């Protein structure tokens, strides 16, 4: 399968100061891409402050997204790859779920992906760019207590499919990567009992490593010319 160099490609990875997003950003950087990382800052800082190659903005804030993404474009005069990775979880059973738990998770995971995609599209079209969406096994195989998270990720997958249909004619390629339980801060916050219960449901008994997910994402970018405009990659373990 023919591969292309990522040297000099401009990449934005949302939610990339830690976890899966950091691993993805690191992997692109190792391939020679110019990577812009993203995270949220405290309210005392400007909403899209740039420090080095990190752009601080909240994906839920449309004006901040406009400022952050346009700043990246103005610095580089291009944007080649957008990785919609920013996500949170606030688990609770539906009967006990607070409004803020539902609203925050949907706003970050789903509306955040919409905000970034919509603002980035005019820039991505210029160089037939790529959009990657980090979903979750929970989108199609949800468990108790994750209604908000599962709904947000199922929404991301449907949204990504529509983006692919609408933008294939503009040369934009879309990947949805759907990992299982990854060894991240989300898992680290769980009790030992819950971790063990989750591991018992995984065929190899191991949480997937963020670097494995990153490898799949970067490989897509390198071989996208040999793939259809829409690709979904499941990584259950």
């Amino acid at each position: 399968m023919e591969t292309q160099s990522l040297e000099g490609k401009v990449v934005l990875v949302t939610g990339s100061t830690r976890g899966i997003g950091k691993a993805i950003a690191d992997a692109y950087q190792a391939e020679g891409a110019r990577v812009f990382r993203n995270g949220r800052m405290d309210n005392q800082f400007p909403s899209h402050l740039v420090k080095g190659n990190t752009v601080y903005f909240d994906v839920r804030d449309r004006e901040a997204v406009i400022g952050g993404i346009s700043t990246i474009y103005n610095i580089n005069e291009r944007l080649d790859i957008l990785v919609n990775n920013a996500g949170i979880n606030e688990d609770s059973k539906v009967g006990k779920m607070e409004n803020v738990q539902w609203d925050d998770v949907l706003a970050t995971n789903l509306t955040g992906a919409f905000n970034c995609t919509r603002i980035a599209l005019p820039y991505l079209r210029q160089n037939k760019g790529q959009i990657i969406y980090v979903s979750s096994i929970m989108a199609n195989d949800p468990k108790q207590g994750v209604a908000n998270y599962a709904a947000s990720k199922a929404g991301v997958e449907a949204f990504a499919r529509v983006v692919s249909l609408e933008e294939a004619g503009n040369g934009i390629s879309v990947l949805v990567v759907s990992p299982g339980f990854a060894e991240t801060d989300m898992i680290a916050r769980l009790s030992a009992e819950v971790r063990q219960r989750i591991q018992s449901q995984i065929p190899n008994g191991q949480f997937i490593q963020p670097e494995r997910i990153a490898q799949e994402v970067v490989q897509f970018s390198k071989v996208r010319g040999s793939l259809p405009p829409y690709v979904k990659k499941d990584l259950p373990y």
Side-chain angles (χ1 to χ4, degrees):
M1 188 174 289
E2 186 178 351
T3 62
Q4 66 172 354
S5 171
L6 300 180
E7 187 78 31
K9 298 288 187 182
V10 177
V11 182
L12 168 61
V13 185
T14 67
S16 51
T17 58
R18 60 185 179 178
I20 294 171
K22 181 180 182 301
I24 293 172
D26 289 346
Y28 274 113
Q29 191 166 311
E31 293 287 337
R34 183 166 191 194
V35 179
F36 284 82
R37 300 164 193 260
N38 158 257
R40 290 191 292 186
M41 291 190 84
D42 296 334
N43 292 332
Q44 64 191 30
F45 294 99
S47 60
H48 46 86
L49 182 70
V50 179
K51 286 188 175 182
N53 277 8
T54 302
V55 184
Y56 293 95
F57 62 85
D58 187 336
V59 298
R60 301 174 300 179
D61 183 337
R62 291 193 172 108
E63 292 303 315
V65 171
I66 292 171
I69 293 180
S70 63
T71 296
I72 293 169
Y73 180 80
N74 291 336
I75 291 171
N76 301 277
E77 297 185 344
R78 66 184 299 153
L79 177 62
D80 299 288
I81 301 169
L82 168 66
V83 182
N84 285 295
N85 167 76
I88 61 171
N89 69 312
E90 295 181 20
D91 298 345
S92 175
K93 289 188 176 180
V94 172
K96 297 182 178 180
M97 187 174 291
E98 301 287 343
N99 290 341
V100 67
Q101 291 177 289
W102 178 269
D103 293 344
D104 282 353
V105 170
L106 270 290
T108 302
N109 300 3
L110 179 56
T111 303
F114 163 74
N115 290 339
C116 293
T117 299
R118 184 167 63 97
I119 300 308
L121 273 174
Y123 306 135
L124 293 168
R125 289 173 185 147
Q126 294 175 18
N127 296 300
K128 298 182 178 180
Q130 306 167 35
I131 310 176
I132 291 95
Y133 297 88
V134 178
S135 181
S136 166
I137 194 174
M138 291 295 116
N140 299 296
D141 185 22
K143 309 299 182 187
Q144 294 186 48
V146 297
N148 49 1
Y149 186 80
S152 72
K153 292 300 186 178
V156 163
E157 293 195 7
F159 175 71
R161 189 71 182 96
V162 173
V163 170
S164 134
L165 293 170
E166 294 178 351
E167 296 298 326
N170 293 318
I172 291 179
S173 299
V174 173
L175 168 69
V176 171
V177 60
S178 182
F181 292 98
E183 190 71 74
T184 65
D185 289 349
M186 283 188 186
I187 292 294
R189 290 197 301 266
L190 300 176
S191 68
E193 179 184 357
V194 172
R195 284 174 60 94
Q196 288 176 353
R197 185 165 68 245
I198 292 171
Q199 284 181 292
S200 71
Q201 300 170 5
I202 302 172
N204 67 0
Q206 301 294 320
F207 296 118
I208 190 169
Q209 295 301 309
E211 291 75 17
R212 169 83 169 85
I213 302 164
Q215 179 184 17
E216 293 290 343
V217 170
V218 170
Q219 182 65 13
F220 167 81
S221 291
K222 293 171 68 175
V223 303
R224 56 79 61 92
S226 306
L227 299 172
Y230 174 83
V231 175
K232 183 169 186 286
K233 185 73 173 181
D234 293 317
L235 300 171
Y237 53 89

